[in-house]
Amino acid sequence: MINSIILLHNGDHYEKFSSELKDINPAVEIILLNDLASLIALPHSLLDRSRLIAYLSGVIVPLSIIKKLKYGAYNFHPGPPIRPGYASLEMAIYEGDQVYGTTVHEMDELVDTGKINGIHAFPVPKNTNAFDLYKLTMDSMLALFSQKKKELLNEAPLISYPIPWGNKKFTKADYMAYLRITRDISREELDLRIRAFGYDFDHKLKLIERGNIYELESSDRPDGYLDHGDFQVVCGQKFIRTKELVNI
C-alpha cells in the first residue's frame, strides 16, 4: 500500500479522512496542505513515494508536480462530468438538470480533463436552490470518497472509465455575467437567477443603474436607509446600493 498521501484540502473533513484512511492502513502518512507554495516546497523524495488527492481545493497543480508523483494525482470535482469547470451546481439549477453528482478523476495539465475514475449521482429535487444543492453535493462528495478510499491507498492506478467530460466548461467570468441584471428582467428569470446564483454572499446579484451598483437585499443588509435612492425595487425584490465602483 501507499505510505504517503498528500491531501490538498481546506481541512474541514481532515479528521474524517485521516481516520478512514488510517483504518485501512494505520501506517499511512497524511500531509495536509492547501496552497501552491507549500506543494512546490515538498521534497522530490516525498513526491516519489506519494499520491496526491485534491478535495475541494482551489490549487491548480502544475504538470511538473503531477509527473513527479509516483502514484499519481486525483481530484474530487463537485459536479458530474457533464459539468466541468466553475459554478457547476449553479448552472445545473439554471439549466434545469434533473440529475447531478460528483466526480473523481485523474489530474492533468488542464482543469477537469483527466480520465474519470468514479461518479456518485443523485436526483436534483424540484425547485431546489443552490444552497440546498450544495449541501447534497457535499454529502455526495463524502460518499464518493468513502467508495474510493481503499482504491486510493492501493499502489495501482485507480480504474478509469470511458466517460467523456462535457463540451462546455463554465468559467468564473461566465458566472459573474449571470449575477448582473437589468431592470427589464422578467420576474420568472429573476426568480430563477436568485434560486441558482443568489445564495453566495460574496457574489450577489447586482443591478447597475445610473452609475450606481445595487446588490440583492439579504439578511446582512446595513441598518436603515438614508433615502429612496439607497435602494431599487425590481420585480418585487429590493436591491441595496453599495459603495462598490462600477467596474463589472
Side-chain angles (χ1 to χ4, degrees):
M1 281 191 168
I2 295 172
N3 58 10
S4 294
I5 294 289
I6 300 168
L7 180 63
L8 280 181
H9 178 51
N10 61 14
D12 288 349
H13 302 292
Y14 173 73
E15 295 299 331
K16 174 180 174 60
F17 293 164
S18 178
S19 175
E20 292 192 12
L21 292 173
K22 286 181 177 293
D23 282 346
I24 301 169
N25 179 8
V28 68
E29 176 188 18
I30 302 174
I31 301 156
L32 176 67
L33 48 87
N34 200 30
D35 64 272
L36 182 57
S38 298
L39 179 61
I40 292 174
L42 293 176
H44 291 180
S45 58
L46 175 63
L47 299 177
D48 192 46
R49 57 183 171 84
S50 299
R51 169 169 286 162
L52 184 146
I53 301 172
Y55 190 102
L56 293 178
S57 172
V59 176
I60 298 177
V61 181
L63 185 60
S64 59
I65 298 288
I66 295 173
K67 288 182 174 180
K68 290 183 175 70
L69 290 157
K70 182 175 182 178
Y71 300 110
Y74 297 88
N75 178 55
F76 282 80
H77 170 63
I82 194 66
R83 293 214 172 271
Y86 197 83
S88 301
L89 69 86
E90 289 92 340
M91 288 308 297
I93 293 174
Y94 187 76
E95 295 186 346
D97 291 6
Q98 296 183 347
V99 177
Y100 196 66
T102 52
T103 308
V104 59
H105 64 91
E106 294 179 18
M107 298 182 77
D108 209 335
E109 183 174 12
L110 300 177
V111 174
D112 297 344
T113 59
K115 294 178 182 178
I116 292 170
N117 310 104
I119 299 172
H120 183 273
F122 59 91
V124 177
K126 187 176 182 180
N127 295 323
T128 192
N129 59 38
F131 182 73
D132 289 338
L133 185 56
Y134 173 80
K135 291 188 289 185
L136 292 174
T137 301
M138 295 304 98
D139 291 343
S140 175
M141 292 271 283
L142 291 173
L144 184 57
F145 174 83
S146 292
Q147 289 175 10
K148 291 291 178 178
K149 59 188 178 184
K150 290 184 180 179
E151 202 175 345
L152 287 166
L153 286 174
N154 289 333
E155 294 183 359
L158 271 65
I159 297 170
S160 61
Y161 302 95
I163 301 171
W165 286 98
N167 294 325
K168 166 69 174 174
K169 185 175 288 187
F170 207 64
T171 67
K172 186 173 182 179
D174 295 328
Y175 171 73
M176 297 301 288
Y178 278 96
L179 296 181
R180 306 171 204 163
I181 71 159
T182 55
R183 184 168 290 280
D184 61 355
I185 192 171
S186 69
R187 179 60 184 266
E188 181 181 27
E189 176 67 14
L190 179 57
D191 287 347
L192 176 57
R193 292 208 196 181
I194 291 172
R195 190 158 57 84
F197 303 100
Y199 79 110
D200 188 339
F201 290 128
D202 292 327
H203 300 100
K204 300 175 185 176
L205 294 184
K206 300 176 187 289
L207 168 70
I208 301 176
E209 195 166 81
R210 293 190 296 275
N212 292 313
I213 297 179
Y214 301 84
E215 287 185 343
L216 182 67
E217 183 182 38
S218 63
S219 58
D220 64 346
R221 65 176 172 80
D223 294 330
Y225 308 108
L226 296 176
D227 55 49
H228 289 293
D230 286 337
F231 65 89
Q232 297 291 328
V233 178
V234 180
C235 298
Q237 296 288 342
K238 185 176 287 186
F239 287 76
I240 309 301
R241 186 168 60 184
T242 76
K243 294 181 180 179
E244 184 180 351
L245 297 176
V246 178
N247 59 2
I248 61 173

